[in-house]
């Protein structure tokens, strides 16, 4: 039996994501969302209640789906590459939204900063766990574990956002990296980590 709302909740979420890509969360208007989705304000209130809850729904869908992918364990030393590849592809595929969200963070948009405070550490912890497994597998250790994690996330996650920043002001747009190019960058990041941050464990 078809839903009475004709899946308007999904249409409104899709409209919201598209508007955030273009204008950011701070400029997101409920009227613009409902107009784009072919809905009305009553249906918006029925499904989401408030604008803030609507934004939280969008952020949860984007970010928590990404975290679920990170939690899929891979064997041994392969897990670090897997986790970093998920971060790199997430950054590439969501670069428009992430760039707008970053702008909203700098503007201290309340719903975004509250969401990040609550959820942002999830993928950092998963990278740290994968890094620990990688170091143990290869007989390595790092003096500053947090710095190593930040280095890896920056090396694989930031380029996607920088590409979007460049493309927003460029006449000739640059294409995003392919999966193969992402994998090369990930291997380079791990090699750089091992060369610059790691030391071999000494046997007693």
């Amino acid at each position: 039996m078809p839903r009475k709302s004709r899946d308007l909740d999904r249409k409104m979420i899709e409209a919201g994501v598209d508007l955030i890509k273009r204008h950011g969360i701070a400029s997101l208007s409920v009227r613009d969302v409902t107009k784009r989705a072919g809905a009305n304000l009553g249906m918006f209130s029925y499904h989401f209640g408030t604008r803030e809850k609507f934004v939280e729904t969008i952020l949860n869908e984007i970010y928590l789906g990404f975290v679920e992918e990170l939690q899929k364990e891979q064997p041994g030393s392969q897990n670090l590459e897997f986790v970093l590849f998920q971060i790199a592809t997430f950054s590439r595929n969501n670069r428009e939204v992430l760039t707008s969200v970053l702008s909203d963070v700098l503007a201290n948009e309340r719903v975004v900063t509250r969401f990040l405070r609550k959820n942002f550490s999830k993928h950092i912890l998963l990278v740290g766990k994968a890094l620990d497994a990688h170091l143990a597998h290869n007989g390595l250790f790092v003096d500053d574990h947090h710095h190593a994690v930040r280095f890896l996330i920056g090396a694989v996650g930031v380029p996607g956002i920088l590409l979007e920043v460049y493309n927003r002001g460029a006449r000739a747009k640059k294409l995003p990296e392919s999966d193969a190019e992402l994998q090369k960058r990930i291997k380079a990041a791990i090699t750089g980590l091992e060369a610059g941050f790691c030391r071999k464990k000494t046997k007693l």
Side-chain angles (χ1 to χ4, degrees):
M1 181 178 178
R3 294 170 56 184
K4 292 181 180 179
S5 62
R6 303 191 310 278
D7 291 323
L8 280 178
D9 54 343
R10 171 52 46 189
K11 291 180 180 178
M12 284 186 280
I13 288 173
E14 291 172 355
V17 170
D18 189 53
L19 288 167
I20 289 170
K21 287 179 181 179
R22 296 169 182 268
H23 308 296
I25 290 170
S27 301
L28 185 68
S29 159
V30 172
R31 289 188 180 277
D32 288 342
V33 170
T34 54
K35 181 178 179 180
R36 183 176 287 254
N40 57 51
L41 295 176
M43 291 305 297
F44 182 92
S45 296
Y46 172 76
H47 284 291
F48 304 107
T50 65
R51 175 187 178 278
E52 285 198 355
K53 288 182 180 178
F54 176 68
V55 171
E56 288 174 359
T57 298
I58 291 175
L59 293 176
N60 270 302
E61 181 164 309
I62 293 170
Y63 183 73
L64 297 184
F66 155 63
V67 171
E68 286 178 9
E69 287 298 313
L70 290 186
Q71 291 172 329
K72 296 178 180 178
E73 292 283 348
Q74 298 292 305
S77 61
Q78 297 177 19
N79 197 45
L80 182 59
E81 289 190 24
F82 172 81
V83 169
L84 295 178
F85 182 72
Q86 295 305 316
I87 291 173
T89 53
F90 176 76
S91 177
R92 178 194 64 191
N93 297 344
N94 295 280
R95 61 191 182 278
E96 295 167 311
V97 171
L98 293 176
T99 303
S100 294
V101 166
L102 178 59
S103 176
D104 289 315
V105 170
L106 295 175
N108 201 29
E109 173 70 14
R110 184 176 62 179
V111 64
V112 179
T113 54
R114 185 173 64 237
F115 177 85
L116 292 180
R117 279 197 299 268
K118 180 180 178 181
N119 295 286
F120 190 67
S121 63
K122 289 183 173 68
H123 72 280
I124 295 174
L125 292 173
L126 290 167
V127 173
K129 179 181 175 183
L131 174 60
D132 288 339
H134 178 84
L135 295 174
H137 181 84
N138 291 282
L140 301 170
F141 75 96
V142 292
D143 293 318
D144 190 336
H145 189 270
H146 293 293
H147 187 60
V149 170
R150 291 195 300 271
F151 167 79
L152 289 172
I153 293 175
V156 303
V158 171
I161 297 173
L162 293 178
L163 172 67
E164 177 60 20
V165 171
Y166 172 84
N167 278 345
R168 288 190 182 190
R171 291 183 180 178
K173 310 296 184 186
K174 300 289 186 182
L175 294 175
E177 293 172 292
S178 66
D179 285 359
E181 289 169 329
L182 291 181
Q183 288 167 340
K184 285 182 181 179
R185 179 148 53 81
I186 289 164
K187 289 183 183 297
I190 293 173
T191 299
L193 172 86
E194 293 176 348
F197 293 88
C198 299
R199 290 185 285 165
K200 278 281 187 184
K201 289 183 177 179
T202 55
K203 295 182 179 180
L204 298 177

